[in-house]
Amino acid sequence: MSAMWTLSPEPLPPSTGPPVGAGLDAEQRTVFAFVLCLLVVLVLLMVRCVRILLDPYSRMPASSWTDHKEALERGQFDYALV
């Protein structure tokens, strides 16, 4: 003889959240879009920072290193008034 298990149907507890079919209202959609935009900006900044950390000298123009050095070597200090 095999034992048969039967479950008596129990009522589900009442739901405390919004109904399943309910959508987001205008304020919730606005906040969701704003948070989504902030996350996109955060990801873009993280990608840029990682690229700078991996190759810091690729974005710097070479002329900025030599222009200021030549002026200092010639002894031109226009900004220093004595």
Coordinates of all heavy atoms in Angstrom, one line a residue:
M1 N 0.8 -1.2 0.0 CA 0.0 0.0 0.0 C 0.9 1.2 0.0 O 1.8 1.3 0.7 CB -0.8 0.0 1.3 CG -2.2 -0.2 1.0 SD -3.2 0.2 2.4 CE -4.7 -0.3 1.7
S2 N 0.5 2.2 -0.8 CA 1.3 3.4 -0.8 C 0.6 4.5 -0.1 O -0.6 4.6 -0.1 CB 1.5 3.8 -2.3 OG 0.3 4.2 -2.9
A3 N 1.4 5.3 0.6 CA 0.8 6.4 1.4 C 0.6 7.6 0.5 O 1.5 8.0 -0.3 CB 1.7 6.8 2.6
M4 N -0.5 8.2 0.5 CA -0.8 9.3 -0.3 C -0.9 10.6 0.6 O -1.5 10.6 1.6 CB -2.1 9.2 -1.0 CG -2.0 9.2 -2.5 SD -3.6 8.9 -3.2 CE -3.3 9.7 -4.7
W5 N -0.1 11.6 0.1 CA -0.1 12.9 0.9 C -1.1 13.8 0.2 O -1.0 14.1 -1.0 CB 1.2 13.5 0.9 CG 2.2 12.7 1.7 CD1 3.0 11.7 1.2 CD2 2.5 12.8 3.1 NE1 3.8 11.2 2.2 CE2 3.5 11.8 3.4 CE3 2.0 13.6 4.1 CZ2 4.0 11.6 4.6 CZ3 2.6 13.4 5.4 CH2 3.5 12.4 5.6
T6 N -2.0 14.4 1.0 CA -2.9 15.4 0.4 C -2.7 16.6 1.3 O -2.6 16.6 2.5 CB -4.3 14.9 0.5 OG1 -4.7 14.6 1.8 CG2 -4.5 13.7 -0.4
L7 N -2.7 17.7 0.6 CA -2.6 19.0 1.3 C -3.9 19.7 1.2 O -4.5 19.8 0.2 CB -1.5 19.9 0.6 CG -0.1 19.4 0.7 CD1 0.8 20.3 -0.1 CD2 0.4 19.3 2.2
S8 N -4.3 20.2 2.3 CA -5.6 21.0 2.3 C -5.3 22.4 1.8 O -4.3 23.0 2.2 CB -6.2 21.0 3.7 OG -5.3 21.7 4.6
P9 N -6.1 22.9 1.0 CA -5.8 24.3 0.5 C -5.9 25.3 1.6 O -6.9 25.3 2.3 CB -6.9 24.5 -0.6 CG -7.9 23.5 -0.3 CD -7.3 22.3 0.4
E10 N -4.9 26.1 1.7 CA -4.8 27.2 2.7 C -5.0 28.5 2.0 O -4.4 28.7 0.9 CB -3.5 27.1 3.5 CG -3.4 25.9 4.3 CD -2.1 25.9 5.1 OE1 -1.4 26.9 5.1 OE2 -1.8 24.9 5.7
P11 N -5.7 29.4 2.5 CA -5.8 30.8 1.9 C -4.4 31.5 2.0 O -3.7 31.4 2.9 CB -6.8 31.5 2.7 CG -6.8 30.8 4.0 CD -6.4 29.4 3.8
L12 N -4.1 32.2 0.9 CA -2.9 33.0 0.8 C -3.0 34.2 1.8 O -4.1 34.8 1.9 CB -2.6 33.5 -0.6 CG -2.3 32.4 -1.6 CD1 -2.2 32.9 -3.0 CD2 -1.1 31.6 -1.2
P13 N -1.9 34.6 2.4 CA -1.9 35.8 3.3 C -2.2 37.0 2.4 O -1.8 37.1 1.2 CB -0.5 35.8 3.9 CG 0.3 35.0 3.0 CD -0.6 34.0 2.4
P14 N -2.8 38.0 3.0 CA -3.0 39.3 2.2 C -1.7 39.9 1.8 O -0.8 40.0 2.6 CB -3.9 40.1 3.1 CG -3.6 39.6 4.5 CD -3.3 38.1 4.3
S15 N -1.7 40.5 0.6 CA -0.5 41.1 0.1 C -0.4 42.5 0.7 O -1.4 43.3 0.8 CB -0.5 41.2 -1.4 OG 0.6 42.0 -1.9
T16 N 0.8 42.9 1.1 CA 1.0 44.2 1.7 C 1.5 45.2 0.7 O 1.5 46.4 0.9 CB 2.0 44.2 2.9 OG1 3.2 43.6 2.4 CG2 1.5 43.3 4.0
G17 N 2.1 44.7 -0.5 CA 2.6 45.6 -1.5 C 1.6 46.1 -2.5 O 0.4 45.8 -2.3
P18 N 2.0 46.8 -3.5 CA 1.1 47.2 -4.5 C 0.6 46.0 -5.3 O 1.2 44.9 -5.4 CB 1.9 48.1 -5.4 CG 3.3 47.7 -5.2 CD 3.4 47.2 -3.8
P19 N -0.5 46.1 -6.0 CA -1.0 45.0 -6.8 C -0.1 44.7 -7.9 O 0.7 45.5 -8.4 CB -2.4 45.5 -7.3 CG -2.6 46.8 -6.7 CD -1.4 47.2 -5.9
V20 N -0.1 43.5 -8.4 CA 0.8 43.0 -9.4 C 0.7 43.8 -10.7 O 1.6 44.1 -11.3 CB 0.6 41.5 -9.6 CG1 1.5 41.0 -10.7 CG2 0.8 40.7 -8.4
G21 N -0.5 44.1 -11.1 CA -0.7 44.8 -12.3 C -0.5 46.3 -12.3 O -0.6 47.0 -13.3
A22 N -0.2 46.9 -11.1 CA -0.1 48.3 -11.0 C 1.2 48.8 -11.6 O 2.3 48.2 -11.3 CB -0.2 48.7 -9.5
G23 N 1.2 49.9 -12.3 CA 2.4 50.4 -12.9 C 3.0 51.5 -12.0 O 2.5 51.7 -10.9
L24 N 4.0 52.1 -12.5 CA 4.6 53.2 -11.7 C 3.9 54.5 -12.0 O 3.5 54.8 -13.1 CB 6.1 53.4 -12.1 CG 7.0 52.1 -11.8 CD1 8.4 52.4 -12.4 CD2 7.1 51.8 -10.4
D25 N 3.8 55.4 -11.0 CA 3.2 56.7 -11.2 C 4.2 57.6 -11.8 O 5.4 57.2 -12.0 CB 2.5 57.2 -10.0 CG 3.5 57.5 -8.8 OD1 4.7 57.1 -9.0 OD2 3.1 58.1 -7.8
A26 N 3.8 58.8 -12.1 CA 4.7 59.8 -12.7 C 6.0 60.1 -11.9 O 7.1 60.2 -12.4 CB 4.0 61.1 -13.1
E27 N 5.8 60.3 -10.6 CA 6.9 60.6 -9.7 C 7.9 59.5 -9.7 O 9.1 59.7 -9.7 CB 6.4 61.0 -8.3 CG 7.5 61.4 -7.4 CD 7.0 61.8 -6.0 OE1 5.8 61.8 -5.8 OE2 7.8 62.1 -5.2
Q28 N 7.4 58.3 -9.6 CA 8.3 57.1 -9.5 C 9.1 56.9 -10.8 O 10.2 56.6 -10.8 CB 7.5 55.8 -9.2 CG 7.0 55.8 -7.7 CD 6.1 54.6 -7.5 OE1 5.5 54.1 -8.4 NE2 6.1 54.2 -6.2
R29 N 8.4 57.2 -11.9 CA 9.1 57.1 -13.2 C 10.2 58.1 -13.3 O 11.3 57.8 -13.9 CB 8.1 57.2 -14.4 CG 7.3 56.0 -14.6 CD 6.6 56.0 -15.9 NE 5.7 57.2 -16.1 CZ 4.4 57.3 -15.9 NH1 3.8 56.2 -15.6 NH2 3.8 58.4 -16.0
T30 N 9.9 59.3 -12.9 CA 10.9 60.4 -12.9 C 12.1 60.1 -12.1 O 13.3 60.2 -12.5 CB 10.3 61.7 -12.4 OG1 9.1 62.0 -13.2 CG2 11.2 62.9 -12.5
V31 N 11.9 59.6 -10.9 CA 13.0 59.2 -10.0 C 13.8 58.0 -10.6 O 15.0 58.0 -10.6 CB 12.5 58.8 -8.6 CG1 13.5 58.2 -7.7 CG2 11.9 60.1 -7.9
F32 N 13.1 57.1 -11.2 CA 13.7 55.9 -11.8 C 14.6 56.4 -13.0 O 15.8 55.9 -13.1 CB 12.7 54.9 -12.3 CG 13.3 53.7 -12.9 CD1 13.9 52.7 -12.1 CD2 13.2 53.5 -14.2 CE1 14.4 51.6 -12.6 CE2 13.8 52.4 -14.8 CZ 14.4 51.4 -14.0
A33 N 14.1 57.3 -13.8 CA 14.9 57.8 -14.9 C 16.1 58.6 -14.4 O 17.2 58.5 -15.0 CB 14.0 58.7 -15.8
F34 N 15.9 59.4 -13.4 CA 17.0 60.2 -12.8 C 18.1 59.3 -12.3 O 19.3 59.5 -12.5 CB 16.5 61.1 -11.7 CG 17.5 62.0 -11.1 CD1 18.1 63.0 -11.9 CD2 18.0 61.8 -9.8 CE1 19.1 63.9 -11.3 CE2 18.9 62.6 -9.3 CZ 19.5 63.6 -10.0
V35 N 17.7 58.2 -11.5 CA 18.7 57.3 -11.0 C 19.4 56.5 -12.1 O 20.6 56.3 -12.0 CB 18.0 56.3 -10.0 CG1 18.9 55.2 -9.6 CG2 17.6 57.1 -8.7
L36 N 18.7 56.2 -13.1 CA 19.3 55.5 -14.3 C 20.3 56.4 -15.0 O 21.4 55.9 -15.3 CB 18.2 55.1 -15.2 CG 18.6 54.2 -16.4 CD1 19.1 52.8 -15.8 CD2 17.5 53.9 -17.3
C37 N 20.0 57.7 -15.1 CA 21.0 58.6 -15.7 C 22.2 58.8 -14.9 O 23.3 58.8 -15.4 CB 20.3 60.0 -16.0 SG 19.1 60.0 -17.3
L38 N 22.0 58.8 -13.6 CA 23.2 58.9 -12.7 C 24.0 57.7 -12.7 O 25.3 57.8 -12.7 CB 22.7 59.1 -11.2 CG 22.2 60.5 -10.9 CD1 21.7 60.6 -9.4 CD2 23.2 61.6 -11.1
L39 N 23.4 56.5 -12.9 CA 24.2 55.3 -13.0 C 25.0 55.3 -14.3 O 26.1 54.8 -14.3 CB 23.3 54.1 -12.9 CG 22.8 53.8 -11.5 CD1 21.8 52.6 -11.5 CD2 23.9 53.5 -10.5
V40 N 24.4 55.8 -15.4 CA 25.1 55.8 -16.6 C 26.3 56.8 -16.5 O 27.4 56.4 -17.0 CB 24.1 56.2 -17.8 CG1 24.9 56.6 -19.1 CG2 23.1 55.1 -18.0
V41 N 26.1 57.9 -15.9 CA 27.2 58.9 -15.8 C 28.3 58.2 -14.9 O 29.5 58.4 -15.2 CB 26.7 60.2 -15.2 CG1 27.9 61.1 -14.7 CG2 25.8 60.9 -16.2
L42 N 27.9 57.6 -13.8 CA 28.9 56.9 -13.0 C 29.7 55.9 -13.7 O 30.9 55.8 -13.5 CB 28.2 56.3 -11.8 CG 29.1 55.5 -10.8 CD1 30.0 56.5 -10.0 CD2 28.2 54.8 -9.8
V43 N 29.1 55.1 -14.5 CA 29.8 54.1 -15.3 C 30.7 54.7 -16.3 O 31.9 54.3 -16.4 CB 28.8 53.1 -16.0 CG1 29.5 52.3 -17.1 CG2 28.1 52.3 -15.0
L44 N 30.3 55.8 -16.9 CA 31.2 56.5 -17.9 C 32.4 57.1 -17.2 O 33.5 57.0 -17.7 CB 30.4 57.6 -18.6 CG 29.4 57.1 -19.6 CD1 28.6 58.3 -20.2 CD2 30.0 56.3 -20.7
L45 N 32.2 57.7 -16.0 CA 33.3 58.2 -15.2 C 34.3 57.1 -14.8 O 35.5 57.3 -14.8 CB 32.8 59.0 -14.0 CG 32.2 60.3 -14.3 CD1 31.6 61.0 -13.0 CD2 33.3 61.3 -14.9
M46 N 33.7 56.0 -14.4 CA 34.6 54.8 -14.0 C 35.4 54.3 -15.1 O 36.6 54.1 -15.0 CB 33.7 53.7 -13.4 CG 33.2 54.1 -12.0 SD 32.0 52.8 -11.4 CE 32.9 51.3 -11.5
V47 N 34.8 54.2 -16.3 CA 35.6 53.8 -17.5 C 36.7 54.8 -17.8 O 37.8 54.4 -18.1 CB 34.6 53.6 -18.7 CG1 35.4 53.4 -20.0 CG2 33.7 52.4 -18.4
R48 N 36.4 56.1 -17.7 CA 37.4 57.1 -18.0 C 38.5 57.0 -17.0 O 39.7 57.1 -17.4 CB 36.7 58.5 -18.0 CG 37.7 59.6 -18.3 CD 37.0 60.9 -18.5 NE 37.9 62.0 -18.6 CZ 38.5 62.4 -19.7 NH1 38.3 61.8 -20.8 NH2 39.3 63.4 -19.6
C49 N 38.2 56.9 -15.8 CA 39.3 56.8 -14.7 C 40.1 55.6 -14.9 O 41.4 55.6 -14.8 CB 38.6 56.8 -13.3 SG 37.9 58.4 -12.9
V50 N 39.5 54.4 -15.3 CA 40.3 53.2 -15.5 C 41.2 53.4 -16.7 O 42.4 53.0 -16.7 CB 39.4 52.0 -15.7 CG1 40.2 50.8 -16.2 CG2 38.7 51.7 -14.3
R51 N 40.7 54.0 -17.8 CA 41.6 54.3 -18.9 C 42.7 55.2 -18.6 O 43.8 55.0 -19.1 CB 40.7 54.8 -20.1 CG 39.8 53.8 -20.7 CD 38.9 54.4 -21.8 NE 39.8 54.8 -22.9 CZ 39.4 55.5 -23.9 NH1 38.1 55.9 -24.0 NH2 40.2 55.8 -24.9
I52 N 42.5 56.2 -17.8 CA 43.6 57.1 -17.4 C 44.6 56.4 -16.5 O 45.8 56.6 -16.7 CB 43.0 58.4 -16.7 CG1 42.3 59.3 -17.7 CG2 44.1 59.2 -16.0 CD1 41.5 60.4 -17.1
L53 N 44.1 55.6 -15.6 CA 45.0 54.8 -14.8 C 45.9 53.8 -15.6 O 47.1 53.6 -15.3 CB 44.3 54.1 -13.7 CG 43.7 55.0 -12.6 CD1 42.9 54.1 -11.6 CD2 44.8 55.6 -11.8
L54 N 45.3 53.2 -16.6 CA 46.1 52.3 -17.4 C 47.1 52.9 -18.3 O 48.2 52.4 -18.5 CB 45.1 51.4 -18.2 CG 44.2 50.5 -17.4 CD1 43.3 49.7 -18.3 CD2 45.1 49.5 -16.6
D55 N 46.8 54.1 -18.9 CA 47.7 54.8 -19.8 C 47.6 56.3 -19.5 O 46.9 57.0 -20.3 CB 47.4 54.4 -21.2 CG 48.5 54.9 -22.2 OD1 49.6 55.2 -21.7 OD2 48.2 54.9 -23.4
P56 N 48.3 56.8 -18.5 CA 48.1 58.2 -18.1 C 48.7 59.2 -19.1 O 48.2 60.4 -19.2 CB 48.8 58.3 -16.8 CG 49.7 57.2 -16.7 CD 49.2 56.1 -17.6
Y57 N 49.7 58.9 -19.9 CA 50.3 59.8 -20.7 C 49.8 59.9 -22.1 O 50.2 60.7 -22.9 CB 51.8 59.5 -20.8 CG 52.5 59.6 -19.4 CD1 52.9 58.5 -18.8 CD2 52.6 60.8 -18.8 CE1 53.4 58.6 -17.5 CE2 53.1 60.9 -17.5 CZ 53.6 59.8 -16.9 OH 54.1 59.9 -15.6
S58 N 48.8 59.1 -22.5 CA 48.3 59.0 -23.8 C 47.5 60.3 -24.2 O 47.4 60.7 -25.3 CB 47.5 57.8 -24.1 OG 46.3 57.8 -23.3
R59 N 46.8 60.8 -23.2 CA 45.9 62.0 -23.4 C 46.6 63.3 -23.3 O 46.0 64.4 -23.5 CB 44.7 61.9 -22.5 CG 43.9 60.7 -22.6 CD 43.1 60.7 -23.8 NE 42.3 59.5 -23.9 CZ 41.9 59.0 -25.0 NH1 42.2 59.6 -26.2 NH2 41.1 57.9 -25.1
M60 N 47.9 63.4 -22.8 CA 48.5 64.6 -22.6 C 49.3 65.1 -23.9 O 50.0 64.3 -24.5 CB 49.6 64.5 -21.5 CG 49.0 64.3 -20.1 SD 50.3 64.3 -18.9 CE 49.4 63.8 -17.5
P61 N 49.1 66.3 -24.3 CA 49.8 66.8 -25.5 C 51.3 66.9 -25.1 O 51.7 67.3 -24.0 CB 49.2 68.1 -25.8 CG 48.6 68.6 -24.5 CD 48.2 67.3 -23.8
A62 N 52.1 66.6 -26.1 CA 53.6 66.7 -25.8 C 54.1 68.1 -25.7 O 55.1 68.3 -25.1 CB 54.3 65.9 -27.0
S63 N 53.4 69.0 -26.3 CA 53.9 70.4 -26.3 C 53.8 71.0 -24.9 O 54.6 72.0 -24.6 CB 53.1 71.3 -27.3 OG 51.7 71.3 -26.9
S64 N 52.9 70.6 -24.1 CA 52.8 71.2 -22.7 C 54.1 70.9 -21.9 O 54.3 71.5 -20.9 CB 51.6 70.7 -22.0 OG 51.7 69.3 -21.8
W65 N 54.8 69.8 -22.2 CA 56.0 69.5 -21.5 C 57.2 70.4 -21.9 O 58.0 70.8 -21.0 CB 56.4 68.0 -21.7 CG 55.4 67.1 -21.1 CD1 54.5 66.4 -21.8 CD2 55.4 66.6 -19.8 NE1 53.8 65.6 -20.9 CE2 54.3 65.7 -19.7 CE3 56.1 66.9 -18.6 CZ2 54.0 65.1 -18.5 CZ3 55.7 66.3 -17.4 CH2 54.7 65.4 -17.4
T66 N 57.3 70.8 -23.1 CA 58.4 71.5 -23.6 C 58.2 73.0 -23.5 O 59.2 73.8 -23.3 CB 58.8 71.1 -25.0 OG1 57.6 71.3 -25.9 CG2 59.1 69.6 -25.1
D67 N 57.0 73.5 -23.7 CA 56.8 75.0 -23.8 C 57.2 75.6 -22.5 O 57.9 76.6 -22.4 CB 55.3 75.3 -24.1 CG 55.0 74.9 -25.5 OD1 55.9 74.7 -26.3 OD2 53.8 74.8 -25.8
H68 N 56.7 75.1 -21.4 CA 57.0 75.7 -20.1 C 58.5 75.5 -19.7 O 59.0 76.4 -19.0 CB 56.1 75.2 -19.0 CG 54.6 75.4 -19.3 ND1 54.1 76.7 -19.3 CD2 53.6 74.6 -19.7 CE1 52.8 76.6 -19.7 NE2 52.5 75.3 -19.9
K69 N 59.0 74.4 -20.1 CA 60.4 74.2 -19.7 C 61.4 75.2 -20.5 O 62.3 75.7 -19.9 CB 60.8 72.7 -20.1 CG 62.2 72.4 -19.6 CD 62.5 70.9 -19.9 CE 63.8 70.5 -19.5 NZ 64.2 69.2 -19.8
E70 N 61.1 75.5 -21.7 CA 61.9 76.4 -22.4 C 61.8 77.8 -21.8 O 62.8 78.5 -21.7 CB 61.5 76.5 -23.9 CG 61.8 75.2 -24.7 CD 61.2 75.2 -26.1 OE1 60.6 76.3 -26.4 OE2 61.3 74.2 -26.8
A71 N 60.7 78.2 -21.4 CA 60.5 79.5 -20.8 C 61.3 79.6 -19.5 O 61.9 80.6 -19.1 CB 59.1 79.9 -20.6
L72 N 61.3 78.5 -18.7 CA 62.0 78.5 -17.4 C 63.5 78.5 -17.7 O 64.3 79.1 -16.9 CB 61.6 77.3 -16.6 CG 60.1 77.4 -16.1 CD1 59.8 76.1 -15.3 CD2 60.0 78.6 -15.1
E73 N 63.9 77.8 -18.7 CA 65.4 77.7 -19.0 C 65.9 79.0 -19.4 O 67.1 79.3 -19.1 CB 65.6 76.6 -20.1 CG 65.5 75.2 -19.5 CD 65.7 74.2 -20.6 OE1 65.8 74.6 -21.8 OE2 65.8 73.0 -20.3
R74 N 65.1 79.8 -20.1 CA 65.6 81.1 -20.6 C 65.6 82.1 -19.5 O 66.1 83.2 -19.6 CB 64.7 81.6 -21.7 CG 64.9 80.9 -23.0 CD 64.2 81.6 -24.2 NE 62.8 81.8 -23.9 CZ 61.8 81.2 -24.5 NH1 62.0 80.3 -25.5 NH2 60.5 81.4 -24.2
G75 N 64.9 81.8 -18.3 CA 64.9 82.7 -17.2 C 63.8 83.8 -17.3 O 63.9 84.9 -16.8
Q76 N 62.8 83.5 -18.1 CA 61.7 84.5 -18.2 C 60.6 84.2 -17.1 O 59.9 83.2 -17.2 CB 61.0 84.3 -19.6 CG 62.0 84.7 -20.7 CD 61.4 84.4 -22.1 OE1 60.3 83.9 -22.2 NE2 62.1 84.9 -23.1
F77 N 60.6 85.0 -16.1 CA 59.6 84.9 -15.1 C 58.7 86.1 -15.1 O 58.9 87.1 -14.3 CB 60.3 84.7 -13.7 CG 61.2 83.5 -13.6 CD1 62.5 83.6 -13.8 CD2 60.6 82.3 -13.4 CE1 63.3 82.4 -13.7 CE2 61.4 81.1 -13.4 CZ 62.7 81.2 -13.5
D78 N 57.8 86.2 -16.0 CA 56.9 87.3 -16.1 C 56.0 87.5 -14.9 O 55.5 88.6 -14.6 CB 56.1 87.3 -17.4 CG 57.0 87.3 -18.6 OD1 58.1 87.9 -18.5 OD2 56.6 86.8 -19.7
Y79 N 55.6 86.4 -14.3 CA 54.6 86.4 -13.3 C 55.3 86.8 -11.9 O 54.6 87.1 -11.0 CB 53.9 85.1 -13.1 CG 54.9 83.9 -12.9 CD1 55.2 83.6 -11.6 CD2 55.4 83.2 -13.9 CE1 56.1 82.5 -11.3 CE2 56.3 82.1 -13.7 CZ 56.6 81.8 -12.4 OH 57.5 80.8 -12.1
A80 N 56.6 86.7 -11.8 CA 57.2 87.0 -10.5 C 57.7 88.5 -10.5 O 58.7 88.8 -11.2 CB 58.4 86.1 -10.3
L81 N 57.0 89.3 -9.8 CA 57.4 90.7 -9.7 C 58.1 90.9 -8.4 O 57.6 90.6 -7.3 CB 56.2 91.6 -9.8 CG 55.4 91.6 -11.1 CD1 54.2 92.4 -11.0 CD2 56.3 92.0 -12.3
V82 N 59.3 91.5 -8.4 CA 60.0 91.7 -7.2 C 59.9 93.1 -6.7 O 59.8 94.1 -7.3 CB 61.5 91.4 -7.4 CG1 62.3 91.5 -6.1 CG2 61.6 90.0 -7.9

